[in-house]
């Protein structure tokens, strides 16, 4: 229940919001696919990682509804995000140190 309005959102509001998020995710999917075929050297990997972070942020914030969840759930999500960030950092460091 939204405390500012005092009523539940309608089904149309949910569909509109989720449709816009889905459209944004599809646009990011197509852009990451297009970037994979553009020869930008090391920037291709960096752009792919940035797009992946944006997509995962959209999913976590809106589909998983972390903005409305309890603090312990948010802490678990942040811990998972930190772990994934460490893995991405190590992978990115490996890619950058390889000869072209």
């Amino acid at each position: 229940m939204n405390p500012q309005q005092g009523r539940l959102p309608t089904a149309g509001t949910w569909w509109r919001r989720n449709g816009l998020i889905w459209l944004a995710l599809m646009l990011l999917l197509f852009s990451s696919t297009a970037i994979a075929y553009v020869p930008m050297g090391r920037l291709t990997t960096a752009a792919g990682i940035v797009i992946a972070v944006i997509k995962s942020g959209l999913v976590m914030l809106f589909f998983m509804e972390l903005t409305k969840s309890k603090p312990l759930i948010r802490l678990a999500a942040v811990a998972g995000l930190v772990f994934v960030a460490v893995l991405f950092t190590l992978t990115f460091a490996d890619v950058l140190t390889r000869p072209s």
Side-chain angles (χ1 to χ4, degrees), residues 64-86:
M64 293 173 63
E65 296 182 357
L66 285 179
T67 56
K68 301 175 186 176
S69 63
K70 295 179 181 180
L72 187 60
I73 302 290
R74 288 186 207 159
L75 180 65
V78 168
L81 187 62
V82 167
F83 181 72
V84 169
V86 168

Side-chain angles (χ1 to χ4, degrees), residues 2-84:
N2 191 349
Q4 295 168 344
Q5 294 177 347
R7 59 186 170 88
L8 290 173
T10 62
T13 305
W14 285 104
W15 277 101
R16 191 174 311 114
R17 186 196 77 155
N18 288 342
L20 289 174
I21 296 166
W22 178 81
L23 182 65
L25 288 171
M26 289 297 110
L27 290 174
L28 288 168
L29 170 70
F30 292 132
S31 65
S32 65
T33 304
I35 284 175
Y37 292 104
V38 176
M40 296 188 307
R42 292 181 177 171
L43 288 177
T44 303
T45 305
I49 290 173
V50 167
I51 291 173
V53 167
I54 293 170
K55 288 191 288 189
S56 65
L58 285 173
V59 169
M60 287 173 50
L61 288 177
F62 295 107
F63 288 138
M64 293 173 63
E65 296 182 357
L66 285 179
T67 56
K68 301 175 186 176
S69 63
K70 295 179 181 180
L72 187 60
I73 302 290
R74 288 186 207 159
L75 180 65
V78 168
L81 187 62
V82 167
F83 181 72
V84 169

